[in-house]
Amino acid sequence: MHQVTTSPEPIRAVSVAEAADIIPNAERILIFGCSGTGKSTLAQALARRFHLTYVSMDRDIFWLPGWKLRPREEFVQRIRDAVAGERWIMDGNSPGTLPIRLARTDIVLWRRPPRSVAVSSVLRRWWKYYGQTRPEMAPGCPEKIDLKFLQYIWTFEKREAPQFEAILASHGRGIPVLTLRSFQESDELLSLLPAGND
């Protein structure tokens, strides 16, 4: 007797134009990608345009003043509370909690430009906010940069991205995924969306 085996659904990749059709009716949007790829900037623009609650995982979920990480049980519960909301847009990574967020997500936007773009963006951000705390970061967590962080960015595609791909395939439920490989593609997406008050 032939045995039928099941495999994870393939990732449902969509184009910029397709995503522009989906986003205006989306209640919950998830954005992830390497540091320095513009996750927060895009999330805040979409939050303003479509009146979604903006959830920054760095600011609202993970960090306490002084760059102290919340206990895992606490930040997981904060994620559960956030995703239980009716209308939100959330930016941040954390592969280990991705299944919790995917269960309530209507569309995923994956910021995935070249690593050189991410590194240069992080360096510019560090210079701009040197000694200050960015608005999308938890209070008491001034901008910082070190070799470990730069290595994380430089090796993100090799070490981190495969985890996201595997989790999307296993827990994505056919959720549309738009991969944005440049800031120009993000600008194109915004230009195709209905005008709002952003």
Side-chain angles (χ1 to χ4, degrees):
M1 182 176 180
H2 179 68
Q3 185 175 358
V4 177
T5 58
T6 59
S7 59
E9 287 185 48
I11 295 172
R12 183 186 161 196
V14 296
S15 67
V16 171
E18 289 170 320
D21 286 337
I22 296 168
I23 288 172
N25 298 309
E27 300 288 324
R28 294 169 293 277
I29 301 172
L30 180 60
I31 303 181
F32 58 74
C34 184
S35 302
T37 57
K39 298 185 299 293
S40 299
T41 300
L42 180 59
Q44 291 174 79
L46 293 175
R48 288 190 299 269
R49 189 170 297 197
F50 297 106
H51 307 288
L52 300 169
T53 299
Y54 169 55
V55 180
S56 163
M57 291 183 67
D58 281 336
R59 182 191 66 202
D60 304 318
I61 306 293
F62 290 130
W63 297 105
L64 294 166
W67 288 101
K68 182 180 178 183
L69 188 64
R70 292 181 192 277
R72 179 172 175 79
E73 301 79 13
E74 184 179 338
F75 75 64
V76 169
Q77 186 57 52
R78 291 175 79 91
I79 290 172
R80 292 186 189 280
D81 292 344
V83 300
E86 284 304 307
R87 303 185 75 249
W88 47 258
I89 184 163
M90 184 181 300
D91 75 72
N93 291 327
S94 180
T97 65
L98 187 54
I100 299 171
R101 292 173 283 144
L102 284 173
R104 293 271 292 157
T105 298
D106 295 322
I107 185 169
V108 169
L109 307 180
W110 187 349
R111 301 302 305 252
R112 212 169 177 182
R115 59 188 180 180
S116 58
V117 172
V119 168
S120 62
S121 178
V122 161
L123 290 171
R124 285 194 306 272
R125 186 175 74 190
W126 171 75
W127 180 256
K128 178 179 179 181
Y129 290 102
Y130 181 76
Q132 305 174 59
T133 299
R134 282 183 286 130
E136 61 271 14
M137 182 52 69
C141 295
E143 195 69 10
K144 66 176 185 176
I145 197 167
D146 56 25
L147 183 58
K148 183 177 178 181
F149 184 42
L150 293 174
Q151 288 174 332
Y152 167 80
I153 296 170
W154 197 251
T155 61
F156 187 90
E157 276 296 313
K158 181 179 180 181
R159 295 184 179 179
E160 307 294 329
Q163 297 181 66
F164 290 96
E165 291 172 340
I167 295 167
L168 282 170
S170 298
H171 298 275
R173 300 180 291 102
I175 296 168
V177 178
L178 172 62
T179 300
L180 294 162
R181 297 195 178 275
S182 69
F183 290 113
Q184 289 77 15
E185 286 186 338
S186 299
D187 291 342
E188 180 186 356
L189 174 64
L190 291 171
S191 73
L192 292 173
L193 291 168
N197 61 351
D198 66 335

PDB file of all heavy atoms in Angstrom, residues 95-113:
ATOM      1  N   PRO A  95      13.164  34.092  15.876  1.00  0.00           N
ATOM      2  CA  PRO A  95      12.624  32.890  15.231  1.00  0.00           C
ATOM      3  C   PRO A  95      11.860  31.984  16.191  1.00  0.00           C
ATOM      4  O   PRO A  95      10.859  31.367  15.805  1.00  0.00           O
ATOM      5  CB  PRO A  95      13.874  32.195  14.680  1.00  0.00           C
ATOM      6  CG  PRO A  95      14.884  33.265  14.531  1.00  0.00           C
ATOM      7  CD  PRO A  95      14.615  34.258  15.623  1.00  0.00           C
ATOM      8  N   GLY A  96      12.306  31.911  17.453  1.00  0.00           N
ATOM      9  CA  GLY A  96      11.660  31.018  18.411  1.00  0.00           C
ATOM     10  C   GLY A  96      10.218  31.360  18.705  1.00  0.00           C
ATOM     11  O   GLY A  96       9.437  30.494  19.103  1.00  0.00           O
ATOM     12  N   THR A  97       9.833  32.634  18.513  1.00  0.00           N
ATOM     13  CA  THR A  97       8.442  33.032  18.757  1.00  0.00           C
ATOM     14  C   THR A  97       7.677  33.277  17.459  1.00  0.00           C
ATOM     15  O   THR A  97       6.522  33.688  17.490  1.00  0.00           O
ATOM     16  CB  THR A  97       8.380  34.308  19.621  1.00  0.00           C
ATOM     17  OG1 THR A  97       8.942  35.404  18.889  1.00  0.00           O
ATOM     18  CG2 THR A  97       9.122  34.132  20.937  1.00  0.00           C
ATOM     19  N   LEU A  98       8.310  33.013  16.343  1.00  0.00           N
ATOM     20  CA  LEU A  98       7.659  33.273  15.058  1.00  0.00           C
ATOM     21  C   LEU A  98       6.360  32.487  14.881  1.00  0.00           C
ATOM     22  O   LEU A  98       5.368  33.039  14.385  1.00  0.00           O
ATOM     23  CB  LEU A  98       8.629  32.993  13.910  1.00  0.00           C
ATOM     24  CG  LEU A  98       8.175  33.368  12.503  1.00  0.00           C
ATOM     25  CD1 LEU A  98       7.735  34.827  12.424  1.00  0.00           C
ATOM     26  CD2 LEU A  98       9.300  33.098  11.499  1.00  0.00           C
ATOM     27  N   PRO A  99       6.284  31.201  15.281  1.00  0.00           N
ATOM     28  CA  PRO A  99       5.009  30.488  15.136  1.00  0.00           C
ATOM     29  C   PRO A  99       3.852  31.155  15.863  1.00  0.00           C
ATOM     30  O   PRO A  99       2.721  31.154  15.365  1.00  0.00           O
ATOM     31  CB  PRO A  99       5.321  29.102  15.718  1.00  0.00           C
ATOM     32  CG  PRO A  99       6.782  28.915  15.486  1.00  0.00           C
ATOM     33  CD  PRO A  99       7.367  30.283  15.707  1.00  0.00           C
ATOM     34  N   ILE A 100       4.113  31.749  17.033  1.00  0.00           N
ATOM     35  CA  ILE A 100       3.052  32.437  17.785  1.00  0.00           C
ATOM     36  C   ILE A 100       2.520  33.599  16.959  1.00  0.00           C
ATOM     37  O   ILE A 100       1.304  33.830  16.883  1.00  0.00           O
ATOM     38  CB  ILE A 100       3.595  32.961  19.128  1.00  0.00           C
ATOM     39  CG1 ILE A 100       4.100  31.818  19.994  1.00  0.00           C
ATOM     40  CG2 ILE A 100       2.514  33.771  19.873  1.00  0.00           C
ATOM     41  CD1 ILE A 100       4.841  32.286  21.245  1.00  0.00           C
ATOM     42  N   ARG A 101       3.422  34.348  16.332  1.00  0.00           N
ATOM     43  CA  ARG A 101       3.017  35.531  15.570  1.00  0.00           C
ATOM     44  C   ARG A 101       2.376  35.156  14.236  1.00  0.00           C
ATOM     45  O   ARG A 101       1.401  35.772  13.806  1.00  0.00           O
ATOM     46  CB  ARG A 101       4.231  36.444  15.365  1.00  0.00           C
ATOM     47  CG  ARG A 101       4.703  37.074  16.679  1.00  0.00           C
ATOM     48  CD  ARG A 101       5.988  37.844  16.529  1.00  0.00           C
ATOM     49  NE  ARG A 101       7.140  36.958  16.457  1.00  0.00           N
ATOM     50  CZ  ARG A 101       8.211  37.182  15.700  1.00  0.00           C
ATOM     51  NH1 ARG A 101       8.274  38.259  14.945  1.00  0.00           N
ATOM     52  NH2 ARG A 101       9.218  36.339  15.713  1.00  0.00           N
ATOM     53  N   LEU A 102       2.914  34.125  13.595  1.00  0.00           N
ATOM     54  CA  LEU A 102       2.356  33.705  12.309  1.00  0.00           C
ATOM     55  C   LEU A 102       0.912  33.232  12.434  1.00  0.00           C
ATOM     56  O   LEU A 102       0.124  33.389  11.502  1.00  0.00           O
ATOM     57  CB  LEU A 102       3.202  32.574  11.710  1.00  0.00           C
ATOM     58  CG  LEU A 102       4.536  32.980  11.095  1.00  0.00           C
ATOM     59  CD1 LEU A 102       5.334  31.735  10.692  1.00  0.00           C
ATOM     60  CD2 LEU A 102       4.331  33.891   9.887  1.00  0.00           C
ATOM     61  N   ALA A 103       0.571  32.675  13.576  1.00  0.00           N
ATOM     62  CA  ALA A 103      -0.783  32.150  13.764  1.00  0.00           C
ATOM     63  C   ALA A 103      -1.850  33.230  13.632  1.00  0.00           C
ATOM     64  O   ALA A 103      -3.023  32.920  13.383  1.00  0.00           O
ATOM     65  CB  ALA A 103      -0.886  31.475  15.140  1.00  0.00           C
ATOM     66  N   ARG A 104      -1.462  34.502  13.785  1.00  0.00           N
ATOM     67  CA  ARG A 104      -2.431  35.596  13.707  1.00  0.00           C
ATOM     68  C   ARG A 104      -2.108  36.600  12.605  1.00  0.00           C
ATOM     69  O   ARG A 104      -2.715  37.659  12.529  1.00  0.00           O
ATOM     70  CB  ARG A 104      -2.462  36.342  15.049  1.00  0.00           C
ATOM     71  CG  ARG A 104      -3.013  35.544  16.212  1.00  0.00           C
ATOM     72  CD  ARG A 104      -4.504  35.684  16.352  1.00  0.00           C
ATOM     73  NE  ARG A 104      -4.859  37.046  16.753  1.00  0.00           N
ATOM     74  CZ  ARG A 104      -6.051  37.593  16.534  1.00  0.00           C
ATOM     75  NH1 ARG A 104      -6.983  36.929  15.895  1.00  0.00           N
ATOM     76  NH2 ARG A 104      -6.300  38.821  16.944  1.00  0.00           N
ATOM     77  N   THR A 105      -1.177  36.258  11.722  1.00  0.00           N
ATOM     78  CA  THR A 105      -0.699  37.216  10.731  1.00  0.00           C
ATOM     79  C   THR A 105      -1.418  37.043   9.386  1.00  0.00           C
ATOM     80  O   THR A 105      -1.620  35.924   8.933  1.00  0.00           O
ATOM     81  CB  THR A 105       0.823  37.044  10.532  1.00  0.00           C
ATOM     82  OG1 THR A 105       1.482  37.328  11.761  1.00  0.00           O
ATOM     83  CG2 THR A 105       1.349  37.965   9.461  1.00  0.00           C
ATOM     84  N   ASP A 106      -1.763  38.174   8.773  1.00  0.00           N
ATOM     85  CA  ASP A 106      -2.404  38.144   7.460  1.00  0.00           C
ATOM     86  C   ASP A 106      -1.389  38.201   6.321  1.00  0.00           C
ATOM     87  O   ASP A 106      -1.635  37.664   5.237  1.00  0.00           O
ATOM     88  CB  ASP A 106      -3.374  39.324   7.311  1.00  0.00           C
ATOM     89  CG  ASP A 106      -4.533  39.237   8.287  1.00  0.00           C
ATOM     90  OD1 ASP A 106      -5.020  38.118   8.539  1.00  0.00           O
ATOM     91  OD2 ASP A 106      -4.938  40.291   8.809  1.00  0.00           O
ATOM     92  N   ILE A 107      -0.270  38.880   6.541  1.00  0.00           N
ATOM     93  CA  ILE A 107       0.768  38.980   5.512  1.00  0.00           C
ATOM     94  C   ILE A 107       2.112  39.242   6.205  1.00  0.00           C
ATOM     95  O   ILE A 107       2.161  39.907   7.237  1.00  0.00           O
ATOM     96  CB  ILE A 107       0.459  40.090   4.478  1.00  0.00           C
ATOM     97  CG1 ILE A 107       1.512  40.080   3.355  1.00  0.00           C
ATOM     98  CG2 ILE A 107       0.315  41.453   5.125  1.00  0.00           C
ATOM     99  CD1 ILE A 107       1.139  40.967   2.153  1.00  0.00           C
ATOM    100  N   VAL A 108       3.162  38.683   5.624  1.00  0.00           N
ATOM    101  CA  VAL A 108       4.522  38.873   6.126  1.00  0.00           C
ATOM    102  C   VAL A 108       5.300  39.717   5.123  1.00  0.00           C
ATOM    103  O   VAL A 108       5.245  39.466   3.910  1.00  0.00           O
ATOM    104  CB  VAL A 108       5.240  37.518   6.314  1.00  0.00           C
ATOM    105  CG1 VAL A 108       6.733  37.717   6.575  1.00  0.00           C
ATOM    106  CG2 VAL A 108       4.596  36.713   7.434  1.00  0.00           C
ATOM    107  N   LEU A 109       6.019  40.698   5.645  1.00  0.00           N
ATOM    108  CA  LEU A 109       6.947  41.487   4.834  1.00  0.00           C
ATOM    109  C   LEU A 109       8.354  41.186   5.342  1.00  0.00           C
ATOM    110  O   LEU A 109       8.667  41.459   6.506  1.00  0.00           O
ATOM    111  CB  LEU A 109       6.643  42.983   4.959  1.00  0.00           C
ATOM    112  CG  LEU A 109       5.197  43.399   4.674  1.00  0.00           C
ATOM    113  CD1 LEU A 109       5.031  44.902   4.841  1.00  0.00           C
ATOM    114  CD2 LEU A 109       4.760  42.960   3.286  1.00  0.00           C
ATOM    115  N   TRP A 110       9.175  40.602   4.479  1.00  0.00           N
ATOM    116  CA  TRP A 110      10.529  40.205   4.869  1.00  0.00           C
ATOM    117  C   TRP A 110      11.522  41.160   4.216  1.00  0.00           C
ATOM    118  O   TRP A 110      11.712  41.160   3.012  1.00  0.00           O
ATOM    119  CB  TRP A 110      10.802  38.773   4.427  1.00  0.00           C
ATOM    120  CG  TRP A 110      12.106  38.197   4.924  1.00  0.00           C
ATOM    121  CD1 TRP A 110      13.127  38.869   5.521  1.00  0.00           C
ATOM    122  CD2 TRP A 110      12.511  36.821   4.868  1.00  0.00           C
ATOM    123  NE1 TRP A 110      14.140  38.006   5.845  1.00  0.00           N
ATOM    124  CE2 TRP A 110      13.799  36.740   5.459  1.00  0.00           C
ATOM    125  CE3 TRP A 110      11.916  35.672   4.368  1.00  0.00           C
ATOM    126  CZ2 TRP A 110      14.499  35.549   5.554  1.00  0.00           C
ATOM    127  CZ3 TRP A 110      12.616  34.478   4.468  1.00  0.00           C
ATOM    128  CH2 TRP A 110      13.887  34.416   5.062  1.00  0.00           C
ATOM    129  N   ARG A 111      12.133  42.006   5.063  1.00  0.00           N
ATOM    130  CA  ARG A 111      13.148  42.942   4.569  1.00  0.00           C
ATOM    131  C   ARG A 111      14.448  42.150   4.361  1.00  0.00           C
ATOM    132  O   ARG A 111      15.014  41.633   5.314  1.00  0.00           O
ATOM    133  CB  ARG A 111      13.382  44.067   5.582  1.00  0.00           C
ATOM    134  CG  ARG A 111      12.163  44.910   5.928  1.00  0.00           C
ATOM    135  CD  ARG A 111      11.536  45.582   4.743  1.00  0.00           C
ATOM    136  NE  ARG A 111      12.450  46.381   3.986  1.00  0.00           N
ATOM    137  CZ  ARG A 111      12.465  47.715   3.959  1.00  0.00           C
ATOM    138  NH1 ARG A 111      11.606  48.404   4.669  1.00  0.00           N
ATOM    139  NH2 ARG A 111      13.321  48.359   3.210  1.00  0.00           N
ATOM    140  N   ARG A 112      14.910  42.100   3.093  1.00  0.00           N
ATOM    141  CA  ARG A 112      16.038  41.219   2.778  1.00  0.00           C
ATOM    142  C   ARG A 112      17.009  41.826   1.763  1.00  0.00           C
ATOM    143  O   ARG A 112      17.385  41.177   0.779  1.00  0.00           O
ATOM    144  CB  ARG A 112      15.474  39.890   2.245  1.00  0.00           C
ATOM    145  CG  ARG A 112      16.300  38.687   2.574  1.00  0.00           C
ATOM    146  CD  ARG A 112      15.568  37.411   2.253  1.00  0.00           C
ATOM    147  NE  ARG A 112      16.434  36.272   2.508  1.00  0.00           N
ATOM    148  CZ  ARG A 112      16.088  35.014   2.284  1.00  0.00           C
ATOM    149  NH1 ARG A 112      14.884  34.732   1.821  1.00  0.00           N
ATOM    150  NH2 ARG A 112      16.940  34.034   2.535  1.00  0.00           N
ATOM    151  N   PRO A 113      17.469  43.055   1.987  1.00  0.00           N
ATOM    152  CA  PRO A 113      18.442  43.642   1.066  1.00  0.00           C
ATOM    153  C   PRO A 113      19.825  43.043   1.294  1.00  0.00           C
ATOM    154  O   PRO A 113      20.041  42.294   2.261  1.00  0.00           O
ATOM    155  CB  PRO A 113      18.419  45.124   1.446  1.00  0.00           C
ATOM    156  CG  PRO A 113      18.064  45.124   2.888  1.00  0.00           C
ATOM    157  CD  PRO A 113      17.119  43.971   3.074  1.00  0.00           C
TER     158      PRO A 113
END
